[in-house]
């Protein structure tokens, strides 16, 4: 029944401010959603009935003069307004799946929209935004994990409708000349609920599940399956909401083209996160299995069947088009710090399509779309740096040949190359970085010391981190090389191998020691195993070998065998 408190708090805030006459029509729609949600909490309301009420509430907003895209023609703005109100109302309702999540996102969104309204001189938006933010944050104090009260449908439907309406109120007086940018402002502010609803809807459809059916497959649940705690998952989405809200405010202080560039960078980042989360199979017990038949793998299989081996190139090109275009715009604004003249903006728009086409073609020829990005390594770094450099040179040649060298700024192209190199490389390595980050958060059953900080040790560490099914967590390296003492390898400390191994086991509370140094003398191995046995810690060795396989054999021999107390495998 926490939604009753939210409703009462917001109502008191509005009564105190009373910023406008039209607001009472909006308030009528919000009260209608609250009542329906309350009845649903106490009894049950069919989904069709709730949808009907949401459509009616959206009609009240249109009657009050609030619609999506104030300058759009009626045949477009009216259906989009209905879609917006119903979509956002239900997205906040769906987001209420973890302690503190919906209340926090609603509070942040209302605060950003209220701040936007304040900066553009919209008193109705300021009053509504601050009232909703106050109600949401006041409730959050009691709803953050461990929650003592819950908002229910009466709270989530009410907040969803009011926030959707608030976005229209703010959009009405947004002093942005570009109609596309005006439409992007509410989308940016509400990026998290839109992202969550889209992800859940698409993946449920692909897996043959009912979209209206509840489940543990939301963004927050996928983050928890990936290893984050519930609080960490909620705070991560709060931070993402703040970033997307900041993008909406960004449009008020910069040129609209720079706003588009920032939106492109953020969209690619959210897309990378979405791909990683979509790979998490929350519909089967093998939730984090790499080979499990997740809906996203069905999509990739379909793309491969439709486009052949070029499917990844098509997806990569779409992302690189956004990154390359955004980088070229940002490079101009970084070089011309005082702002672009009208003639420079016109030339930038003329150059932009040529720059995108030239660079993406060079990227394709240079092999940037052939690698498996989640396994990106040093070769990908070298290829990215060299290919982006060649692309910049080709771009300079194309622009110089078509417009003359005097019209092309070499400084801009150098800045553009650096941004493109970082953006394209960051997108590739973002898949690997997120994968490794999530792997490091997985809760393991056994804590492990790796004896040997060489190449074999790194290979063992990579296997442990990338294969969560083994249930192992590497906590430190131990090495006999004094030059490595006190250093850090892949985020793990390197301990002195000459010290007491028993003390290392106690200090790091380990369950197992894995010897990875293949050249270690057998006497030393036996000594390590005896020390492990003294503190009841198991000891194993990890080896990597190439073995011949006859035609009668169906599986290769194991590459990891246990070591007994006498050092014999």
């Amino acid at each position: 029944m926490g939604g009753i408190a939210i409703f009462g708090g917001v109502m008191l805030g509005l009564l105190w401010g009373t910023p406008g006459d039209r607001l009472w029509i909006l308030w009528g729609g919000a009260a209608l959603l609250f009542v329906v949600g309350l009845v649903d909490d106490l009894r049950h309301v069919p989904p069709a009935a709730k949808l009907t009420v949401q459509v009616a509430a959206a009609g009240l907003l249109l009657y009050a003069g609030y619609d999506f895209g104030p300058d759009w023609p009626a045949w477009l703005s009216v259906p989009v307004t209905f879609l917006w109100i119903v979509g956002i109302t239900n997205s906040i309702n769906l987001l209420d799946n973890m302690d503190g999540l919906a209340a926090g996102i609603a509070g942040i969104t209302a605060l950003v929209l209220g701040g936007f309204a304040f900066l553009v001189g919209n008193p109705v938006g300021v009053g509504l935004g601050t009232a909703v933010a106050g109600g949401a944050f006041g409730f959050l104090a009691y709803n953050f994990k461990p929650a003592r009260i819950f908002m229910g449908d009466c709270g989530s439907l009410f907040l969803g409708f009011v926030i959707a309406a608030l976005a229209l109120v703010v959009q009405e007086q947004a002093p942005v000349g570009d109609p596309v940018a005006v439409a992007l402002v509410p989308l940016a502010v509400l990026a998290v609920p839109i992202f969550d609803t889209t992800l859940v809807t698409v993946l449920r459809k692909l897996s043959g599940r009912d979209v209206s059916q509840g489940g543990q497959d939301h963004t927050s649940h996928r983050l928890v399956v990936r290893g984050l705690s519930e609080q960490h998952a909620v705070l991560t989405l709060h931070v993402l909401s703040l970033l997307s809200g900041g993008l909406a405010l960004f449009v008020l202080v910069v040129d609209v083209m720079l706003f588009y560039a920032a939106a492109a960078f953020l969209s690619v980042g959210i897309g990378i996160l979405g791909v990683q989360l979509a790979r998490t199979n929350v519909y089967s017990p093998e939730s984090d299995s790499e080979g499990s038949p997740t809906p996203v793998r069905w999509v990739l299989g379909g793309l491969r069947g439709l486009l052949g081996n070029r499917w990844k190139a098509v997806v990569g090109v779409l992302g690189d088009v956004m990154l390359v275009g955004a980088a070229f715009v940002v490079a101009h604004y970084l070089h011309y710090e005082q702002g672009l003249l009208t003639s420079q903006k016109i030339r930038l728009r003329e150059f932009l399509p040529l720059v995108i086409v030239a660079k993406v073609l060079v990227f394709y020829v240079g092999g940037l779309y052939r690698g498996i990005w989640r396994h990106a390594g040093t070769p990908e770094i070298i290829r990215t740096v060299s290919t982006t450099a060649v692309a910049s040179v080709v771009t300079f040649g194309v622009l110089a040949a078509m417009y003359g060298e005097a019209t092309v700024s070499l400084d801009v192209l150098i800045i553009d190359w650096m941004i493109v190199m970082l953006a394209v490389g960051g997108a590739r390595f973002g898949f690997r970085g997120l994968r490794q980050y999530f792997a490091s958060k997985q809760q393991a059953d056994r804590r492990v010391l790796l004896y040997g900080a060489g190449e074999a040790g790194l290979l063992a560490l990579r296997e442990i981190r990338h294969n969560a099914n083994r249930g192992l967590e590497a906590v430190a390296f131990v090495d006999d090389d004094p030059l490595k003492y006190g250093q850090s390898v892949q985020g793990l400390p390197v301990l002195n191998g000459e010290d007491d191994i028993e003390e290392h086991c106690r200090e790091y509370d380990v369950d197992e020691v894995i010897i990875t140094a293949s050249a270690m003398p057998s006497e030393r191995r036996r000594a390590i195993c005896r020390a492990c046995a003294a503190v009841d810690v198991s000891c194993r060795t990890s080896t990597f070998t190439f073995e011949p396989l006859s035609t009668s054999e169906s599986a290769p021999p194991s590459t990891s065998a246990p070591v007994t107390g006498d050092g014999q495998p």
Side-chain angles (χ1 to χ4, degrees):
M1 296 294 100
I4 298 175
I6 297 175
F7 179 82
V10 175
M11 182 175 67
L12 288 176
L14 292 177
L15 289 174
W16 183 273
T18 57
D21 295 335
R22 287 193 299 167
L23 192 63
W24 295 111
I25 300 177
L26 183 156
W27 183 251
L32 192 60
L33 264 298
F34 168 76
V35 171
V36 170
L38 185 60
V39 174
D40 190 44
D41 290 330
L42 297 175
R43 303 290 183 181
H44 176 69
V45 177
K50 286 192 284 188
L51 179 61
T52 302
V53 174
Q54 292 168 15
V55 171
L60 289 177
L61 279 179
L62 286 169
Y63 175 77
Y66 295 116
D67 54 357
F68 197 99
D71 298 327
W72 295 4
W75 63 267
L76 179 61
S77 65
V78 170
V80 171
T81 301
F82 280 108
L83 180 64
W84 173 258
I85 296 299
V86 173
I88 296 303
T89 301
N90 285 290
S91 68
I92 298 297
N93 180 248
L94 291 173
L95 207 61
D96 186 25
N97 55 64
M98 199 166 284
D99 291 352
L101 180 56
I105 297 297
I108 292 170
T109 301
L111 194 63
V112 170
L113 289 172
F116 192 102
F118 175 78
L119 293 175
V120 302
N122 185 340
V124 174
V126 174
L128 186 57
T130 52
V132 175
F137 286 135
F139 170 78
L140 182 62
Y142 299 92
N143 183 245
F144 199 76
K145 188 176 179 65
R148 287 170 281 173
I149 56 176
F150 304 92
M151 69 172 65
D153 276 3
C154 66
S156 59
L157 291 176
F158 166 73
L159 283 177
F161 175 82
V162 174
I163 289 173
L166 174 60
L168 302 186
V169 172
V170 171
Q171 190 186 54
E172 184 183 40
Q173 295 185 11
V176 182
D178 194 312
V180 178
V182 172
L184 285 179
V185 167
L187 295 178
V189 176
L190 289 154
V192 170
I194 292 173
F195 171 78
D196 178 72
T197 302
T198 303
L199 183 70
V200 170
T201 302
V202 171
L203 295 183
R204 284 182 183 175
K205 278 289 187 182
L206 291 174
S207 60
R209 286 169 169 78
D210 188 357
V211 175
S212 62
Q213 175 186 352
Q216 303 289 309
D217 57 349
H218 289 270
T219 306
S220 54
H221 300 132
R222 293 173 185 273
L223 289 172
V224 170
V225 170
R226 284 292 192 170
L228 274 62
S229 67
E230 287 192 13
Q231 288 182 338
H232 194 175
V234 169
L235 290 174
T236 298
L237 294 177
H238 285 177
V239 171
L240 186 59
S241 183
L242 283 171
L243 289 175
S244 61
L247 173 64
L249 296 177
F250 196 55
V251 74
L252 296 177
V253 296
V254 299
D255 189 81
V256 68
M257 292 190 69
L258 201 54
F259 168 74
Y260 287 147
F265 285 132
L266 183 61
S267 298
V268 172
I270 292 177
I272 293 172
L273 176 63
V275 170
Q276 287 294 324
L277 295 180
R279 293 180 67 87
T280 305
N281 185 14
V282 295
Y283 300 127
S284 74
E286 297 82 12
S287 295
D288 203 29
S289 176
E290 192 74 22
S292 54
T294 59
V296 73
R297 296 181 72 87
W298 299 335
V299 174
L300 297 182
L303 288 174
R304 188 180 292 110
L306 180 65
L307 303 173
N309 293 330
R310 297 185 179 87
W311 68 270
K312 183 188 288 187
V314 174
V315 176
V317 164
L318 295 177
D320 283 348
V321 164
M322 299 176 68
L323 294 177
V324 169
F328 194 65
V329 172
V330 172
H332 276 79
Y333 282 91
L334 287 178
H335 179 63
Y336 301 104
E337 298 179 3
Q338 71 281 4
L340 298 182
L341 301 175
T342 302
S343 59
Q344 292 171 326
K345 291 180 181 180
I346 294 174
R347 187 174 302 163
L348 171 59
R349 293 188 179 94
E350 291 179 358
F351 286 178
L352 197 55
L354 294 174
V355 170
I356 292 174
V357 172
K359 289 196 173 186
V360 170
L361 285 176
V362 174
F363 289 172
Y364 185 85
V365 174
L368 288 190
Y369 304 113
R370 298 173 191 164
I372 299 177
W373 296 341
R374 66 179 185 275
H375 299 305
T378 303
E380 280 72 26
I381 295 178
I382 297 173
R383 187 180 296 115
T384 299
V385 173
S386 59
T387 305
T388 53
V390 172
S392 294
V393 173
V394 171
T395 300
F396 175 78
V398 170
L399 294 179
M402 296 187 64
Y403 296 94
E405 291 187 25
T407 62
V408 182
S409 171
L410 192 58
D411 293 338
V412 169
L413 291 181
I414 292 174
I415 298 173
D416 172 61
W417 168 69
M418 291 188 290
I419 298 174
V420 168
M421 178 183 62
L422 293 175
V424 172
R428 269 65 174 170
F429 280 85
F431 288 96
R432 175 178 174 177
L434 277 176
R435 187 167 179 260
Q436 290 182 335
Y437 174 74
F438 288 139
S440 69
K441 294 297 181 181
Q442 293 287 340
Q443 295 296 321
D445 299 326
R446 298 175 64 81
R447 294 167 61 84
V448 172
L449 276 181
L450 297 176
Y451 207 113
E455 295 298 329
L458 290 174
L459 185 63
L461 176 63
R462 184 173 183 177
E463 170 64 19
I464 288 173
R465 286 181 169 176
H466 289 183
N467 193 344
N469 293 331
R470 292 187 179 274
L472 302 177
E473 178 189 3
V475 295
F477 282 100
V478 179
D479 202 279
D480 294 331
D481 186 355
L483 296 178
K484 297 179 181 178
Y485 300 163
Q487 303 298 312
S488 177
V489 177
Q490 293 290 311
L492 300 182
V494 180
L495 309 177
N496 189 344
E498 297 178 356
D499 291 343
D500 189 355
I501 189 67
E502 300 177 25
E503 185 61 30
H504 291 327
C505 291
R506 294 191 189 97
E507 180 183 358
Y508 285 86
D509 190 26
V510 301
D511 302 293
E512 186 174 352
V513 172
I514 297 179
I515 300 174
T516 64
S518 57
M520 181 180 292
S522 58
E523 295 83 1
R524 180 59 176 161
R525 288 175 180 266
R526 284 192 287 270
I528 294 172
C529 287
R530 285 193 293 269
C532 292
V535 291
D536 195 25
V537 170
S538 63
C539 183
R540 289 197 290 175
T541 183
S542 173
T543 61
F544 180 79
T545 59
F546 297 97
E547 301 290 345
L549 185 66
S550 66
T551 56
S552 61
E553 293 180 274
S554 59
S558 172
T559 58
S560 180
V563 176
T564 61
D566 61 357
Q568 298 299 320

